[in-house]
Amino acid sequence: MSNIQIVPVTDQDIPTLVHIARVTFADTFDANTAPADMQEFLDTAYAPEQLTKELHTPGTTFWFVTVDGTPAGYLKLNIDQAVTADVKADNALELERIYILPDHKRQGLGGKLYAHALAMAKKFHKPTIALGVWEHNEPAKSFYMKRGFHKVGEHAFVVGDDPQHDWLMEAR
């Protein structure tokens, strides 16, 4: 049986985080995104400098899920001033990203990261978890709806020059 752990991402982990972020984002959205738009997004949103800046943002934390000591995915959480403007609920924990590497999907790792997000919401007394999910990402929408999330709005999520649409979802 594999040893699965949730561990905080540190400055020393930025190269690994960059790799996992780029691979998982491309895996999820490549088929529906123009190559130039994808490359521009990966080069800016997942540049080492950008992820380091996000890691150092007060109220933001990143977590790896590891399998036998090797990172297999990650979670990004925001609280307080780090919560994005599109979150509707007051005093919410924002679950900004759960991404799992392709070889580790459907092994329950997303559920482990979600359980960690729930524990963090409880720890920080955040009664609501809020997130955005691409309107055409049926596996992710199903994952969240099974956990009690419901749609509360929409917003644009721009990838390169492509304004895609996300559902804004919340659960208490």
Side-chain angles (χ1 to χ4, degrees):
M1 183 151 188
S2 298
N3 178 20
I4 298 170
Q5 294 185 310
I6 309 294
V7 298
V9 174
T10 67
D11 284 337
Q12 292 73 29
D13 299 317
I14 290 295
T16 302
L17 180 62
V18 167
H19 171 75
I20 293 173
R22 289 179 179 200
V23 168
T24 57
F25 189 87
D27 178 61
T28 303
F29 299 104
D30 219 11
N32 299 288
T33 305
D37 288 334
M38 177 61 71
Q39 195 60 54
E40 180 184 339
F41 186 84
L42 295 176
D43 289 347
T44 55
Y46 296 135
E49 304 77 24
Q50 178 60 32
L51 290 176
T52 299
K53 179 181 170 187
E54 292 176 25
L55 181 64
H56 288 239
T57 299
T60 294
T61 55
F62 284 85
W63 305 87
F64 284 136
V65 59
T66 64
V67 178
D68 297 329
T70 301
Y74 78 102
L75 167 70
K76 180 183 180 192
L77 301 174
N78 298 316
I79 61 169
D80 303 330
Q81 69 271 24
V83 171
T84 59
D86 290 327
V87 170
K88 310 274 187 232
D90 291 329
N91 198 28
L93 177 137
E94 180 183 23
L95 193 167
E96 188 172 340
R97 298 179 200 144
I98 288 183
Y99 284 108
I100 305 297
L101 286 168
D103 291 348
H104 293 280
K105 286 186 175 180
R106 293 172 221 6
Q107 297 175 15
L109 301 180
K112 300 269 188 203
L113 288 172
Y114 180 70
H116 185 73
L118 283 177
M120 297 301 286
K122 185 174 182 179
K123 175 181 178 180
F124 291 107
H125 308 287
K126 304 299 179 188
T128 303
I129 296 180
L131 58 88
V133 62
W134 182 45
E135 66 181 342
H136 299 297
N137 189 341
E138 297 305 326
K141 286 170 28 186
S142 176
F143 176 89
Y144 293 120
M145 286 188 275
K146 286 178 187 172
R147 287 159 176 82
F149 282 82
H150 61 280
K151 183 179 174 184
V152 296
E154 295 183 9
H155 75 155
F157 183 85
V158 180
V159 179
D161 291 326
D162 182 12
Q164 300 181 5
H165 299 281
D166 281 2
W167 284 14
L168 301 175
M169 301 181 82
E170 294 179 358
R172 291 183 74 66

PDB file of all heavy atoms in Angstrom, residues 24-34 38 99 134 137 157 159 164 166:
ATOM      1  N   THR A  24      -0.194  19.516 -15.345  1.00  0.00           N
ATOM      2  CA  THR A  24      -1.603  19.255 -15.014  1.00  0.00           C
ATOM      3  C   THR A  24      -2.540  20.240 -15.698  1.00  0.00           C
ATOM      4  O   THR A  24      -3.626  19.854 -16.132  1.00  0.00           O
ATOM      5  CB  THR A  24      -1.834  19.253 -13.494  1.00  0.00           C
ATOM      6  OG1 THR A  24      -1.402  20.505 -12.939  1.00  0.00           O
ATOM      7  CG2 THR A  24      -1.088  18.106 -12.822  1.00  0.00           C
ATOM      8  N   PHE A  25      -2.142  21.501 -15.806  1.00  0.00           N
ATOM      9  CA  PHE A  25      -2.993  22.471 -16.485  1.00  0.00           C
ATOM     10  C   PHE A  25      -3.122  22.108 -17.963  1.00  0.00           C
ATOM     11  O   PHE A  25      -4.224  22.089 -18.520  1.00  0.00           O
ATOM     12  CB  PHE A  25      -2.463  23.901 -16.320  1.00  0.00           C
ATOM     13  CG  PHE A  25      -3.418  24.937 -16.809  1.00  0.00           C
ATOM     14  CD1 PHE A  25      -4.409  25.436 -15.974  1.00  0.00           C
ATOM     15  CD2 PHE A  25      -3.364  25.409 -18.118  1.00  0.00           C
ATOM     16  CE1 PHE A  25      -5.317  26.382 -16.428  1.00  0.00           C
ATOM     17  CE2 PHE A  25      -4.268  26.355 -18.580  1.00  0.00           C
ATOM     18  CZ  PHE A  25      -5.244  26.842 -17.734  1.00  0.00           C
ATOM     19  N   ALA A  26      -1.999  21.799 -18.597  1.00  0.00           N
ATOM     20  CA  ALA A  26      -2.029  21.416 -20.009  1.00  0.00           C
ATOM     21  C   ALA A  26      -2.843  20.141 -20.201  1.00  0.00           C
ATOM     22  O   ALA A  26      -3.629  20.034 -21.153  1.00  0.00           O
ATOM     23  CB  ALA A  26      -0.614  21.247 -20.547  1.00  0.00           C
ATOM     24  N   ASP A  27      -2.698  19.184 -19.298  1.00  0.00           N
ATOM     25  CA  ASP A  27      -3.462  17.939 -19.389  1.00  0.00           C
ATOM     26  C   ASP A  27      -4.963  18.208 -19.341  1.00  0.00           C
ATOM     27  O   ASP A  27      -5.741  17.587 -20.061  1.00  0.00           O
ATOM     28  CB  ASP A  27      -3.056  16.994 -18.254  1.00  0.00           C
ATOM     29  CG  ASP A  27      -3.847  15.707 -18.252  1.00  0.00           C
ATOM     30  OD1 ASP A  27      -3.776  14.960 -19.245  1.00  0.00           O
ATOM     31  OD2 ASP A  27      -4.550  15.455 -17.249  1.00  0.00           O
ATOM     32  N   THR A  28      -5.364  19.154 -18.520  1.00  0.00           N
ATOM     33  CA  THR A  28      -6.783  19.456 -18.347  1.00  0.00           C
ATOM     34  C   THR A  28      -7.352  20.282 -19.492  1.00  0.00           C
ATOM     35  O   THR A  28      -8.482  20.050 -19.917  1.00  0.00           O
ATOM     36  CB  THR A  28      -6.996  20.204 -17.010  1.00  0.00           C
ATOM     37  OG1 THR A  28      -6.480  19.384 -15.948  1.00  0.00           O
ATOM     38  CG2 THR A  28      -8.468  20.484 -16.755  1.00  0.00           C
ATOM     39  N   PHE A  29      -6.577  21.244 -20.011  1.00  0.00           N
ATOM     40  CA  PHE A  29      -7.144  22.236 -20.924  1.00  0.00           C
ATOM     41  C   PHE A  29      -6.575  22.240 -22.343  1.00  0.00           C
ATOM     42  O   PHE A  29      -7.078  22.965 -23.202  1.00  0.00           O
ATOM     43  CB  PHE A  29      -6.972  23.639 -20.322  1.00  0.00           C
ATOM     44  CG  PHE A  29      -7.665  23.795 -19.006  1.00  0.00           C
ATOM     45  CD1 PHE A  29      -6.947  23.796 -17.817  1.00  0.00           C
ATOM     46  CD2 PHE A  29      -9.039  23.908 -18.935  1.00  0.00           C
ATOM     47  CE1 PHE A  29      -7.591  23.925 -16.597  1.00  0.00           C
ATOM     48  CE2 PHE A  29      -9.695  24.033 -17.721  1.00  0.00           C
ATOM     49  CZ  PHE A  29      -8.964  24.038 -16.544  1.00  0.00           C
ATOM     50  N   ASP A  30      -5.542  21.458 -22.612  1.00  0.00           N
ATOM     51  CA  ASP A  30      -4.871  21.500 -23.914  1.00  0.00           C
ATOM     52  C   ASP A  30      -5.807  21.240 -25.090  1.00  0.00           C
ATOM     53  O   ASP A  30      -5.728  21.923 -26.114  1.00  0.00           O
ATOM     54  CB  ASP A  30      -3.731  20.480 -23.946  1.00  0.00           C
ATOM     55  CG  ASP A  30      -2.501  20.997 -24.664  1.00  0.00           C
ATOM     56  OD1 ASP A  30      -2.448  22.200 -24.963  1.00  0.00           O
ATOM     57  OD2 ASP A  30      -1.601  20.186 -24.913  1.00  0.00           O
ATOM     58  N   ALA A  31      -6.698  20.287 -24.963  1.00  0.00           N
ATOM     59  CA  ALA A  31      -7.572  19.906 -26.082  1.00  0.00           C
ATOM     60  C   ALA A  31      -8.532  21.023 -26.486  1.00  0.00           C
ATOM     61  O   ALA A  31      -9.041  21.025 -27.607  1.00  0.00           O
ATOM     62  CB  ALA A  31      -8.363  18.649 -25.729  1.00  0.00           C
ATOM     63  N   ASN A  32      -8.765  21.976 -25.588  1.00  0.00           N
ATOM     64  CA  ASN A  32      -9.738  23.042 -25.845  1.00  0.00           C
ATOM     65  C   ASN A  32      -9.112  24.427 -25.904  1.00  0.00           C
ATOM     66  O   ASN A  32      -9.833  25.422 -25.821  1.00  0.00           O
ATOM     67  CB  ASN A  32     -10.813  23.022 -24.758  1.00  0.00           C
ATOM     68  CG  ASN A  32     -11.558  21.711 -24.757  1.00  0.00           C
ATOM     69  OD1 ASN A  32     -12.347  21.443 -25.647  1.00  0.00           O
ATOM     70  ND2 ASN A  32     -11.293  20.878 -23.766  1.00  0.00           N
ATOM     71  N   THR A  33      -7.787  24.479 -26.033  1.00  0.00           N
ATOM     72  CA  THR A  33      -7.092  25.759 -26.006  1.00  0.00           C
ATOM     73  C   THR A  33      -6.104  25.816 -27.168  1.00  0.00           C
ATOM     74  O   THR A  33      -5.370  24.857 -27.413  1.00  0.00           O
ATOM     75  CB  THR A  33      -6.330  25.924 -24.667  1.00  0.00           C
ATOM     76  OG1 THR A  33      -7.259  25.754 -23.583  1.00  0.00           O
ATOM     77  CG2 THR A  33      -5.692  27.288 -24.550  1.00  0.00           C
ATOM     78  N   ALA A  34      -6.091  26.937 -27.844  1.00  0.00           N
ATOM     79  CA  ALA A  34      -5.134  27.129 -28.941  1.00  0.00           C
ATOM     80  C   ALA A  34      -3.712  27.014 -28.392  1.00  0.00           C
ATOM     81  O   ALA A  34      -3.428  27.511 -27.295  1.00  0.00           O
ATOM     82  CB  ALA A  34      -5.348  28.487 -29.594  1.00  0.00           C
ATOM     83  N   MET A  38      -2.206  28.558 -24.867  1.00  0.00           N
ATOM     84  CA  MET A  38      -1.727  27.672 -23.801  1.00  0.00           C
ATOM     85  C   MET A  38      -0.304  28.033 -23.420  1.00  0.00           C
ATOM     86  O   MET A  38       0.011  28.170 -22.237  1.00  0.00           O
ATOM     87  CB  MET A  38      -1.822  26.210 -24.242  1.00  0.00           C
ATOM     88  CG  MET A  38      -1.281  25.216 -23.216  1.00  0.00           C
ATOM     89  SD  MET A  38      -2.147  25.236 -21.611  1.00  0.00           S
ATOM     90  CE  MET A  38      -3.715  24.505 -22.086  1.00  0.00           C
ATOM     91  N   TYR A  99      -5.024  19.967  -8.592  1.00  0.00           N
ATOM     92  CA  TYR A  99      -4.571  19.330  -9.828  1.00  0.00           C
ATOM     93  C   TYR A  99      -3.763  18.086  -9.479  1.00  0.00           C
ATOM     94  O   TYR A  99      -2.911  18.116  -8.587  1.00  0.00           O
ATOM     95  CB  TYR A  99      -3.698  20.283 -10.655  1.00  0.00           C
ATOM     96  CG  TYR A  99      -4.485  21.339 -11.388  1.00  0.00           C
ATOM     97  CD1 TYR A  99      -4.461  22.657 -10.978  1.00  0.00           C
ATOM     98  CD2 TYR A  99      -5.244  21.005 -12.505  1.00  0.00           C
ATOM     99  CE1 TYR A  99      -5.179  23.631 -11.657  1.00  0.00           C
ATOM    100  CE2 TYR A  99      -5.966  21.971 -13.192  1.00  0.00           C
ATOM    101  CZ  TYR A  99      -5.927  23.284 -12.762  1.00  0.00           C
ATOM    102  OH  TYR A  99      -6.640  24.235 -13.436  1.00  0.00           O
ATOM    103  N   TRP A 134     -13.933  25.350 -14.551  1.00  0.00           N
ATOM    104  CA  TRP A 134     -14.261  25.564 -15.953  1.00  0.00           C
ATOM    105  C   TRP A 134     -15.589  24.894 -16.277  1.00  0.00           C
ATOM    106  O   TRP A 134     -15.824  23.736 -15.908  1.00  0.00           O
ATOM    107  CB  TRP A 134     -13.133  25.020 -16.825  1.00  0.00           C
ATOM    108  CG  TRP A 134     -13.303  25.213 -18.287  1.00  0.00           C
ATOM    109  CD1 TRP A 134     -13.703  26.349 -18.928  1.00  0.00           C
ATOM    110  CD2 TRP A 134     -13.055  24.242 -19.308  1.00  0.00           C
ATOM    111  NE1 TRP A 134     -13.704  26.148 -20.287  1.00  0.00           N
ATOM    112  CE2 TRP A 134     -13.316  24.853 -20.554  1.00  0.00           C
ATOM    113  CE3 TRP A 134     -12.624  22.927 -19.288  1.00  0.00           C
ATOM    114  CZ2 TRP A 134     -13.173  24.193 -21.761  1.00  0.00           C
ATOM    115  CZ3 TRP A 134     -12.475  22.270 -20.492  1.00  0.00           C
ATOM    116  CH2 TRP A 134     -12.757  22.899 -21.703  1.00  0.00           C
ATOM    117  N   ASN A 137     -15.463  21.360 -17.635  1.00  0.00           N
ATOM    118  CA  ASN A 137     -14.675  20.339 -16.930  1.00  0.00           C
ATOM    119  C   ASN A 137     -15.640  19.459 -16.131  1.00  0.00           C
ATOM    120  O   ASN A 137     -15.819  19.620 -14.928  1.00  0.00           O
ATOM    121  CB  ASN A 137     -13.630  20.997 -16.023  1.00  0.00           C
ATOM    122  CG  ASN A 137     -12.662  19.984 -15.442  1.00  0.00           C
ATOM    123  OD1 ASN A 137     -12.915  18.784 -15.405  1.00  0.00           O
ATOM    124  ND2 ASN A 137     -11.531  20.489 -14.959  1.00  0.00           N
ATOM    125  N   PHE A 157     -12.310  33.380 -17.260  1.00  0.00           N
ATOM    126  CA  PHE A 157     -10.951  32.953 -16.920  1.00  0.00           C
ATOM    127  C   PHE A 157     -10.173  32.987 -18.224  1.00  0.00           C
ATOM    128  O   PHE A 157     -10.437  32.194 -19.129  1.00  0.00           O
ATOM    129  CB  PHE A 157     -10.966  31.540 -16.319  1.00  0.00           C
ATOM    130  CG  PHE A 157      -9.614  31.058 -15.880  1.00  0.00           C
ATOM    131  CD1 PHE A 157      -9.132  31.380 -14.618  1.00  0.00           C
ATOM    132  CD2 PHE A 157      -8.825  30.290 -16.718  1.00  0.00           C
ATOM    133  CE1 PHE A 157      -7.885  30.939 -14.203  1.00  0.00           C
ATOM    134  CE2 PHE A 157      -7.569  29.848 -16.315  1.00  0.00           C
ATOM    135  CZ  PHE A 157      -7.102  30.171 -15.049  1.00  0.00           C
ATOM    136  N   VAL A 159      -7.246  32.531 -20.790  1.00  0.00           N
ATOM    137  CA  VAL A 159      -6.071  31.726 -21.103  1.00  0.00           C
ATOM    138  C   VAL A 159      -5.497  32.292 -22.399  1.00  0.00           C
ATOM    139  O   VAL A 159      -6.094  32.121 -23.462  1.00  0.00           O
ATOM    140  CB  VAL A 159      -6.425  30.232 -21.258  1.00  0.00           C
ATOM    141  CG1 VAL A 159      -5.186  29.424 -21.616  1.00  0.00           C
ATOM    142  CG2 VAL A 159      -7.062  29.692 -19.978  1.00  0.00           C
ATOM    143  N   GLN A 164     -12.313  32.056 -21.305  1.00  0.00           N
ATOM    144  CA  GLN A 164     -13.123  30.875 -21.012  1.00  0.00           C
ATOM    145  C   GLN A 164     -14.044  31.206 -19.844  1.00  0.00           C
ATOM    146  O   GLN A 164     -13.870  32.219 -19.169  1.00  0.00           O
ATOM    147  CB  GLN A 164     -12.213  29.689 -20.717  1.00  0.00           C
ATOM    148  CG  GLN A 164     -11.309  29.373 -21.900  1.00  0.00           C
ATOM    149  CD  GLN A 164     -10.407  28.181 -21.663  1.00  0.00           C
ATOM    150  OE1 GLN A 164     -10.473  27.499 -20.657  1.00  0.00           O
ATOM    151  NE2 GLN A 164      -9.543  27.922 -22.637  1.00  0.00           N
ATOM    152  N   ASP A 166     -15.845  30.114 -16.233  1.00  0.00           N
ATOM    153  CA  ASP A 166     -15.834  29.270 -15.047  1.00  0.00           C
ATOM    154  C   ASP A 166     -17.144  29.410 -14.298  1.00  0.00           C
ATOM    155  O   ASP A 166     -17.743  30.494 -14.276  1.00  0.00           O
ATOM    156  CB  ASP A 166     -14.725  29.700 -14.076  1.00  0.00           C
ATOM    157  CG  ASP A 166     -13.354  29.206 -14.464  1.00  0.00           C
ATOM    158  OD1 ASP A 166     -13.225  28.550 -15.508  1.00  0.00           O
ATOM    159  OD2 ASP A 166     -12.414  29.491 -13.705  1.00  0.00           O
TER     160      ASP A 166
END
